[in-house]
Amino acid sequence: MRTSISYMMEYNIFAPTKPMKKHYLISAIILLFAGVGAHAQPYETNPDYKRANIWYFGDSAGIDFSSGSPVSLTNSKMYALEASGTIADTNGNLLFYTNGQTVWNKNHEIMEGGNGLEGSQDASQNGLILNHPDNDSLYYIFLTPYSYDYMNGLKYCVVNIKANNGNGKVSEKNILLHPNSSEKVSAVYHANGRDIWIIGHEWGNNNFYLYLLTSNGFNQCPVINSVGIQYKKSSIFTDGIFVNQGFIKFSPNSKYMAHVFTPTDPLNIFSELYRFDKTNGHLELFTTIPNDRYLWGAEFSDNSENLFICRRDSPVLVYNIPTNQYRMIDSLILPSATQLQLSNDGNIYFGLADSTFIGIINGNDFNNIHINKKAVNLSKGTMQYGLPNIFVGYLTHGQPRIIYEDKCSNQTFDFGLSYLAANVTKWIFTHPNNEFERTEDNPTVTFPDTGLWTVKCVLLSNDTLSTTLFAEAQIPHNFLGNDTGWCEELGASLTLQAPSGMHCYEWNTGETASQISADTTGIYIAKITTPNFCIFYDTIAVSIDTTPPKPVIYQNHDTLKTDVSAKGYQWYKDNNPTGENNNFLKITDTGIYRLTITSNAGCVAQSDTLNVFRVGVKGVERLDFKVYPNPFTDELIIELKEDKKPEIIIFNSLGQEILKTTLTNTIERIHTAKWKQGVYFMEVTQQNGIKQIIKLIKTE
């Protein structure tokens, strides 16, 4: 872990903030004396910014930020002991709110399907609400359990806000994302500016798990970061303080994630600050912040430079990221169970249980922090132990963010901005081996190199937006290969291999490895999720064969033949392969011949050997006999011209022996009326070992 000045300069932490324009500066001074801080830039520029205009929380408490200053609301029907959730549309109009157990619509009526949500009012972070990346009709509510009920897991519900004439409906309820969860859930935008990371923490270990919400819904394979403090299963709470309470918070610039908790060791109390890679969801421990009090609430300042942490009945701690310094705010002592929540006016809000007032912290200046403990009078409502759990993406303001969409083929991406605040001058795409520019407002780019690219958008105002992406190698459409099989009698199964290095593997067999064994006949389907969360499917048919019947080879003039169909044929002469892959072989010389066949799935069968002479070759004794009629029906006649007494074996096309005898008469009659219609073979062996095989056909 590095916290030196050189390390921080690598990430441009010391980049200066922009000065406020004169008329905004005047407004800020007026608001500051009024007890409410101001933003460095007007929030009207970001449409999503107004989604956080309205808060409902506590016992019938509410605040409306639509005017730019917080105004008390008295129409709430909700009681929320700790965290809650509220969401407005892009115009700042209320859509619905929840305490994690009930959902109320914009008319403050219980929404259809809005009862029976399985979140806990005792959870420190509950009721997080996000809108679908590509469908403004759909919203997601994330629910967390109470400490005792950690196996209740992290769940979500889906709200269709267009249902019931805009009053909404909970269309899906209590869908399990993860079966083991702490009280914490938070969210942050992916580097593409469209998709959203949802993060929680498992109970009993040190696993952070991140799910990606995309235009296709949830990818069910989380990114797991095993890092930081261990949550121990042996004790749900220590000295009456629950160890999995606390908060996960992201900085407004998405670079940092704070993890505040009550450690299991009361003599070793600290909180964690991570660097966050929003491209791949990876966390890197940046530093730990020591403390001597139990911790609970946490929040970043609007400029992402300062982290505020609540300590049990002690002054609030503020940690300055650029300088790696921290200090106590002696004028602000809060109980341990006090939530801190950033608002879209740039201030951090807090409140005391049963109080009718809400206080604010204006905390961008580490050395000059302003506090107003009674900034908002809640009128008829009262504060409890929590405020709305708000997606940090709804609190960023001013400049737009870069948005890109991976086309999931040929390393091609579409680019644009979350909203067109100013004209685009140019786009700059930089790779360790390459750099190029484009001047369109919304370019489509196919990257010439795989790997990490930095994307910058230069606006007409000379402001520069920046993000990163990873250009992946193209996945072949037929990555499992052609339909195939294996031979059961070989005593092994077939291995199916999907591309390595993927984020997630799902097979229709239920397996989740990159490589599986196929031991039954059937269709196998592989679903792979790349590190960029592109999804590909491939299907392969696997056949499992038994050893095929022994092939019979017979001579027809100067050609050897077999009637058995196979994938492969290998002829041998005097135990040497001839190289031909056909069901016939031209006889080039006298010798001992045999045939090996291979089925589609690799099973192998071998014929008997056959002593063969080439017609016209001198010095080779030939058996002189007749077999007739051929085709035959009820009788087969064998006529010998000399008394050679050969042995004959007749077998069917499956290689099964039908008759075996030695001919003693010059004319033999074989009754065949009971034989089945089909192909038969007669192997005739002279006393000197010379063999011939004759193909016979039985008809009805």
Side-chain angles (χ1 to χ4, degrees), residues 30 69 114 176 331 340 362 398 400 446:
I30 294 172
S69 299
L176 184 65
S331 61
L340 302 177
N362 184 271
T446 299

Side-chain angles (χ1 to χ4, degrees), residues 496-499 504-507 509-517 526-528:
L496 301 181
Q497 176 68 60
C504 189
Y505 301 88
E506 297 176 74
W507 297 81
T509 60
E511 295 167 276
T512 56
S514 62
Q515 178 179 287
I516 68 169
S517 295
K527 173 186 176 183
I528 61 172

Side-chain angles (χ1 to χ4, degrees), residues 24 136 162 173 179 231 249 270 281 283 285 363 379 391 399 415 476 493 505 529 561 570 655 683 698:
Y24 293 129
D136 204 36
K162 299 279 180 74
K173 192 182 301 184
Y231 286 13
K249 287 294 186 84
F270 59 92
L283 292 165
L285 186 61
S379 302
F391 174 40
Q399 293 177 339
F415 291 90
S493 60
Y505 301 88
T529 303
K561 291 185 176 182
Q570 179 61 66
E683 180 183 271
K698 169 71 162 60

Side-chain angles (χ1 to χ4, degrees), residues 235-543:
S235 174
I236 292 180
F237 63 91
T238 300
D239 191 26
I241 304 300
F242 294 99
V243 295
N244 70 343
Q245 288 180 341
F247 286 80
I248 294 172
K249 287 294 186 84
F250 285 95
S251 60
N253 64 9
S254 305
K255 292 182 179 180
Y256 299 100
M257 189 196 81
H259 181 214
V260 178
F261 48 87
T262 299
T264 56
D265 180 2
L267 300 179
N268 184 24
I269 299 175
F270 59 92
S271 53
E272 299 171 338
L273 183 65
Y274 291 88
R275 290 200 64 88
F276 179 66
D277 188 334
K278 57 184 178 179
T279 302
N280 54 32
H282 289 173
L283 292 165
E284 175 192 1
L285 186 61
F286 179 67
T287 190
T288 57
I289 304 168
N291 220 309
D292 60 355
R293 297 289 188 276
Y294 289 120
L295 311 174
W296 203 66
E299 187 59 281
F300 287 92
S301 61
D302 183 55
N303 62 5
S304 300
E305 292 186 359
N306 299 316
L307 173 62
F308 294 81
I309 301 173
C310 286
R311 308 185 311 145
R312 185 178 187 180
D313 300 320
S314 302
V316 170
L317 178 147
V318 56
Y319 171 77
N320 183 250
I321 299 172
T323 63
N324 191 30
Q325 296 178 347
Y326 65 90
R327 68 184 182 89
M328 308 302 169
I329 306 176
D330 294 330
S331 61
L332 186 59
I333 297 177
L334 298 174
S336 58
T338 301
Q339 181 178 343
L340 302 177
Q341 179 59 54
L342 183 66
S343 169
N344 58 15
D345 66 4
N347 294 299
I348 297 171
Y349 284 74
F350 65 89
L352 305 181
D354 298 322
S355 172
T356 58
F357 287 92
I358 296 293
I360 62 168
I361 304 171
N362 184 271
N364 282 349
D365 187 345
F366 178 69
N367 296 309
N368 191 22
I369 294 170
H370 295 275
I371 297 169
N372 184 340
K373 296 180 181 179
K374 294 186 176 182
V376 184
N377 187 335
L378 296 177
S379 302
K380 297 180 181 179
T382 56
M383 179 71 189
Q384 295 301 301
Y385 295 98
L387 293 166
N389 187 4
I390 300 175
F391 174 40
V392 71
Y394 298 154
L395 300 177
T396 55
H397 51 88
Q399 293 177 339
R401 62 185 182 275
I402 292 176
I403 290 178
Y404 64 80
E405 180 179 4
D406 190 344
K407 306 294 282 188
C408 296
S409 62
N410 300 319
Q411 300 159 209
T412 300
F413 294 75
D414 290 337
F415 291 90
L417 300 179
S418 57
Y419 59 94
L420 195 59
N423 291 333
V424 173
T425 300
K426 61 181 176 181
W427 294 81
I428 305 172
F429 303 93
T430 305
H431 182 274
N433 302 324
N434 209 331
E435 182 173 290
F436 60 91
E437 297 181 1
R438 298 284 289 270
T439 58
E440 307 98 303
D441 284 344
N442 300 290
T444 295
V445 176
T446 299
F447 289 97
D449 297 291
T450 59
L452 191 67
W453 287 80
T454 299
V455 181
K456 294 182 179 179
C457 180
V458 181
L459 303 179
L460 190 61
S461 61
N462 287 327
D463 291 329
T464 300
L465 311 175
S466 180
T467 192
T468 58
L469 63 82
F470 192 88
E472 298 175 334
Q474 186 175 4
I475 301 295
H477 293 294
N478 190 25
F479 57 77
L480 291 179
N482 296 324
D483 293 345
T484 186
W486 60 278
C487 182
E488 187 176 36
E489 296 186 10
L490 295 179
S493 60
L494 182 72
T495 297
L496 301 181
Q497 176 68 60
S500 60
M502 298 295 101
H503 170 60
C504 189
Y505 301 88
E506 297 176 74
W507 297 81
N508 62 330
T509 60
E511 295 167 276
T512 56
S514 62
Q515 178 179 287
I516 68 169
S517 295
D519 53 10
T520 58
T521 297
I523 303 296
Y524 289 80
I525 303 173
K527 173 186 176 183
I528 61 172
T529 303
T530 72
N532 275 2
F533 285 82
C534 288
I535 297 175
F536 296 91
Y537 292 86
D538 195 16
T539 300
I540 187 171
V542 174
S543 58

